[in-house]
Amino acid sequence: MNPVALAFAAFVTAAVGTLGGLGGAILLVPILVLSGMGARYAAPLGLVSVAAGSLAAAPHQLTARVVNHRLGIATEIVASSAALVGALVSGLIGQSVLAVLLGCVALIAAFAGGRRKGIRNLPDRSLTADDVGETPGTLAGVYPLGDEFVPYQAKRLPVGLLGMGMAGLISGLSGVGGGWVKTPTTSEVMHVPVKVAAATSTFTVGVTAAVGLLVYESQGRIVVSDAALVAAAGLVGGTVGVRLQHVLPPPLVRRGLSVILAVIGVLLIVRR
Amino acid sequence: MNDLQALSKILMVALIATFACALGGAFIPGPVGMVSGTACIVILIAAPVLRVAWLVVDWTRIGDRKFALCGGALLCVLATSGTIALLR
């Protein structure tokens, strides 16, 4: 792939990945493979894109206090442990079976997000800007929605952790990030607002990508000049994505996420 | 300025440094470009781990021990995952 096309693909996938909390790898890696790049070299570039998008989003999301770090860290323990197990047993499952499984998960997540109408968490007029952020000692918080403030509380934690474990397992088995499972799980299963879910996933996929990049770097699988180009484009894309996430209404973000997941699901099943 | 704002400023510096290193790695030929690109990757790896470590310290400081322990456990899981993966 020529450098201009590589930079453009990295920019777009990082922007979309950050906007929806998906991580760009699930989009970028298939594009690179379709363009003729070997999966061995495409996977590290996918993780560079994810890490760049996560870093680009961090300053804005921290200032806006929209990430729930307590929720992210509590669920990431399960996801990372499952990713380790998935990586260790990855040779036991055929790539074709894995692709169909991933496709089905993406389609279910798309359906769950797309069928829901309206906004689940409603603004509370008694809250002020001082209340925005996480509530210490709990998995609750308040996030800003326009001029109003919306309280939320993560629900169904055991089922949510099961979903995060599945996201980690899929991540370890397939080598792509699990953000595209984490965001719908956090939003649709744990009833966390989609913008908080996407921002929290953007934080956690950066953590997961860091470990993956460390491994790829030690294996000499990172082509530094290509990775640097993807990182530069991914940083710009991530910055654009997080700005869009801030201004777009939650139902639009959720429906857009569902459309992207549906496309990913169909691609995975058709291309197995 | 609270701790998250301070962390936000540190990550903004990291973001700018990563972008500069990435541009160097992508467009400067030879060893300088290689060093610049490698520095970019090192920052991308270090930034999220620093963020988790920062949160653990912050939560310990304010007495939120349950989640400080969660953060510590996550750092242990990450260290274990990295070590196992590197040894395989």
Side-chain angles (χ1 to χ4, degrees), chain B residues 47-59:
Chain B
V49 180
L50 166 78
R51 185 168 168 181
V52 174
W54 180 287
L55 291 166
V56 169
V57 172
D58 186 36
W59 293 340

Side-chain angles (χ1 to χ4, degrees), chain A residues 11 27 38 43 48 50 66 82 95 101 106 117 122 128 133 165 172-173 184 187 194 199 203 219 227 237 240 249 270:
Chain A
F11 167 77
L27 303 168
V48 167
V50 171
V66 71
Q95 288 300 309
L101 276 175
K117 302 276 191 298
L122 297 172
T128 67
L173 285 169
S187 172
V194 69
F203 158 55
Q219 293 173 343
V240 171
V270 171

Side-chain angles (χ1 to χ4, degrees), chain A residues 154-208:
Chain A
K155 295 173 182 162
R156 298 193 283 187
L157 185 61
V159 186
L161 288 177
L162 200 64
M164 293 301 168
M166 196 173 71
L169 199 61
I170 286 169
S171 179
L173 285 169
S174 65
V176 297
W180 56 286
V181 179
K182 287 176 182 174
T183 301
T185 299
T186 310
S187 172
E188 302 309 315
V189 175
M190 302 179 82
H191 292 193
V192 171
V194 69
K195 287 191 176 187
V196 178
T200 303
S201 286
T202 301
F203 158 55
T204 59
V205 293
V207 175
T208 314

Side-chain angles (χ1 to χ4, degrees), chain A residues 73-156:
Chain A
I73 283 180
T75 55
E76 185 61 19
I77 295 172
V78 177
S80 292
S81 303
L84 178 61
V85 173
L88 292 173
V89 301
S90 59
L92 301 178
I93 297 179
Q95 288 300 309
S96 180
V97 174
L98 187 59
V100 172
L101 276 175
L102 295 177
C104 290
V105 170
L107 289 175
I108 291 167
F111 177 72
R115 67 189 275 272
R116 185 157 64 84
K117 302 276 191 298
I119 298 175
R120 186 181 280 135
N121 297 279
L122 297 172
D124 182 341
R125 293 188 185 283
S126 67
L127 297 172
T128 67
D130 292 338
D131 298 309
V132 172
E134 305 170 46
T135 308
T138 70
L139 295 177
V142 175
Y143 90 105
L145 182 63
D147 296 331
E148 298 177 304
F149 304 98
V150 182
Y152 65 88
Q153 164 77 51
K155 295 173 182 162
R156 298 193 283 187

Side-chain angles (χ1 to χ4, degrees), chain A residues 248-267:
Chain A
L248 293 178
L252 187 61
V253 173
R254 195 175 64 238
R255 292 205 184 102
L257 187 61
S258 290
V259 171
I260 295 166
L261 284 170
V263 171
I264 290 170
V266 171
L267 280 177

Side-chain angles (χ1 to χ4, degrees), chain A residues 222-245:
Chain A
I222 300 179
V223 179
V224 172
S225 57
D226 286 351
L229 187 61
V230 167
L235 289 169
V236 178
T239 305
V240 171
V242 76
R243 301 282 167 184
L244 283 175
Q245 189 191 66

Side-chain angles (χ1 to χ4, degrees), chain A residues 36-49:
Chain A
M37 184 181 286
R40 182 174 168 78
Y41 294 100
L45 293 181
L47 284 190
V48 167
S49 163

